[in-house]
Amino acid sequence: YTDQARLVKGSVVVSSSGLRRRWDADGFFAEASRVLSEPQVATLRRLYQKAMDLGFVIKWGTGNAAGSCSFVADAVCPRSVMTIGTKGGLCLNFGWLNGSEAAENVRETLKRSIEANCSATLPADYQKKFPSIPAEKWMGEVDGICKTLEEVAAAAGSGVA
């Protein structure tokens, strides 16, 4: 800052609330256990384990208050297919699945499978969206979400270990 800018803006205060946290499995599930019911945490664990079993790369978020866990088919796309959060939400990351024929094939498989296996309604322009489904809507359909992960893994082929 220049002296003139400091006079105009006043003092600059840096808040510690903006600090990022590197999540891991232990911290993620501990925080989820703090804010969700035990059956909801068990559902998160089931989906996480399914993604692990299918060979998705797990990427942990860096949020300061809430944690996230993303499932990545890294040979197809460096960004995640879906993300779960410590508050129980599920995000479908259609907007990141682009840039190659393989990534777009995974995106289309994700769409078809979600529509076939779950009651979620997707926006018409889903290709650019990141629809979030609250815990109370998707957790009762975890079998369908697991089936979707299986179909996405199959579409990714060698993109998932």
Side-chain angles (χ1 to χ4, degrees):
Y1 289 103
T2 66
D3 288 335
Q4 184 179 8
R6 282 191 183 101
L7 288 173
V8 171
K9 292 184 181 243
S11 63
V12 176
V13 177
V14 177
S15 169
S16 64
S17 65
L19 296 177
R20 308 302 283 175
R21 173 178 175 179
R22 173 57 64 185
W23 292 87
D24 60 20
D26 291 339
F28 179 89
F29 288 110
E31 177 61 16
S33 294
R34 196 180 68 74
V35 298
L36 299 172
S37 70
E38 188 49 45
Q40 289 175 314
V41 175
T43 300
L44 284 178
R45 285 186 187 278
R46 180 175 170 204
L47 191 59
Y48 165 77
Q49 189 60 53
K50 183 65 166 183
M52 295 275 293
D53 292 347
L54 290 169
F56 284 91
V57 172
I58 305 300
K59 292 195 177 174
W60 298 100
T62 59
N64 64 340
S68 63
C69 173
S70 295
F71 311 142
V72 179
D74 65 338
V76 173
C77 183
R79 308 298 293 273
S80 61
V81 172
M82 74 178 55
T83 302
I84 55 175
T86 54
K87 295 179 181 178
L90 172 74
C91 185
L92 305 172
N93 299 324
F94 294 110
W96 282 337
L97 300 172
N98 55 49
S100 73
E101 186 176 332
E104 290 168 8
N105 182 49
V106 165
R107 182 185 66 211
E108 297 310 308
T109 299
L110 177 61
K111 176 195 183 287
R112 281 191 306 274
S113 188
I114 285 290
E115 290 178 336
N117 297 312
C118 306
S119 62
T121 303
L122 301 175
D125 60 346
Y126 70 93
Q127 300 94 331
K128 299 175 183 176
K129 300 289 184 178
F130 300 82
S132 185
I133 306 169
E136 57 274 5
K137 292 204 178 215
W138 77 264
M139 287 191 173
E141 299 181 325
V142 68
D143 290 339
I145 301 293
C146 287
K147 176 82 173 149
T148 293
L149 276 180
E150 290 171 4
E151 292 175 6
V152 166
S158 64
V160 177

